[in-house]
Amino acid sequence: MKREKAAVFASGNGSNFQAMMETEDVTDKIVLLVCDQPGAAVIQKAKKFNIPVLELDMKQFPTKKAYEKRIIKALHSHEVTWIFLAGYMRIIGSELLAAFPKKIVNIHPSLLPAFPGKDAIRDAYWSGATETGVTVHYVDEGIDTGPIIEQVMVRISAEDTLEALAARIHGAEHQLYPNVMKRLLQSK
Ligand code: GRF
């Protein structure tokens, strides 16, 4: 049986990363954090859990291709088989997509295809919708467009504040994403 190993890509706070690291059967499969924002809070979280960090600044690379090639080199040296994006604020380019076909997964805070893009929680809140949610999906060349793996619905009540809704959505993410990961990482 092939041993699956995961890298997490994140740019910011890392609450999803933390939830993964606190989930049995997931934590021991995460071998690398890739972070494109030097100084991001997620880096300290990885250090606390003794996870190696590849910290990159895209400005230091002549092209996106060169940037992704550097990442791929690290992924191969850690024998990574799956990539999980968790608040990674960059579009995955053709180098990474070709190197990890159908092995790159993302979490998005809406019920895709509704509310793609970076302000999904806010957009759903102000739209007047009565429900939104969380989607885990494969990554393709589009933005928030790849095949859906699993979704959960989160209701929006008339009394909700944006902050309360965001907190419930993040809570739902922290349940859903590690569970989906557990399944995918066991599937071979
Ligand atoms: C999450 O809401 C996730 O759905 C989105 O970015 C956010 C990352 O939050 N893609 P965190 O860094 O995991 O706290």
Side-chain angles (χ1 to χ4, degrees):
M1 196 161 94
K2 189 168 149 207
R3 164 125 158 78
E4 303 291 346
K5 293 187 187 180
V8 179
F9 286 30
S11 305
N13 178 34
S15 69
N16 279 284
F17 172 77
Q18 169 118 16
M20 295 164 185
M21 292 310 300
E22 290 170 350
T23 302
E24 210 184 337
D25 297 331
V26 173
T27 168
D28 59 335
K29 304 236 167 75
I30 297 175
V31 298
L32 182 67
L33 174 78
V34 176
C35 182
D36 65 330
Q37 294 297 324
V42 68
I43 294 170
Q44 287 315 316
K45 292 189 169 87
K47 291 192 170 152
K48 196 180 90 195
F49 287 105
N50 287 319
I51 299 294
V53 180
L54 176 66
E55 211 176 313
L56 300 150
D57 183 350
M58 184 131 130
K59 293 196 291 290
Q60 310 288 325
F61 294 84
T63 58
K64 181 159 183 169
K65 195 170 170 161
Y67 167 80
E68 291 202 334
K69 275 188 185 296
R70 174 67 191 88
I71 296 177
I72 291 166
K73 194 173 150 210
L75 296 172
H76 286 156
S77 79
H78 287 270
E79 300 177 340
V80 166
T81 55
W82 285 88
I83 297 171
F84 293 91
L85 310 183
Y88 181 67
M89 301 307 285
R90 234 172 246 292
I91 295 167
I92 297 293
S94 51
E95 295 295 311
L96 270 165
L97 285 170
F100 287 84
K102 297 209 182 78
K103 296 286 184 187
I104 309 180
V105 177
N106 183 40
I107 186 157
H108 181 79
S110 77
L111 288 180
L112 290 172
F115 307 113
K118 67 178 176 49
D119 283 321
I121 302 177
R122 184 182 300 267
D123 291 347
Y125 180 79
W126 290 111
S127 73
T130 54
E131 56 183 54
T132 182
V134 176
T135 302
V136 177
H137 65 95
Y138 288 105
V139 173
D140 64 11
E141 46 296 310
I143 300 176
D144 305 326
T145 52
I148 290 170
I149 302 171
E150 204 167 316
Q151 297 183 300
V152 290
M153 196 257 277
V154 174
R155 278 192 202 291
I156 309 175
S157 76
E159 305 78 50
D160 252 334
T161 60
L162 177 58
E163 292 69 29
L165 174 64
R168 286 207 309 290
I169 287 185
H170 293 311
E173 289 184 326
H174 301 159
Q175 296 289 317
L176 180 68
Y177 209 8
N179 279 326
V180 172
M181 287 175 77
K182 201 187 278 193
R183 250 184 17 238
L184 293 174
L185 291 168
Q186 279 167 353
S187 66
K188 286 275 156 58

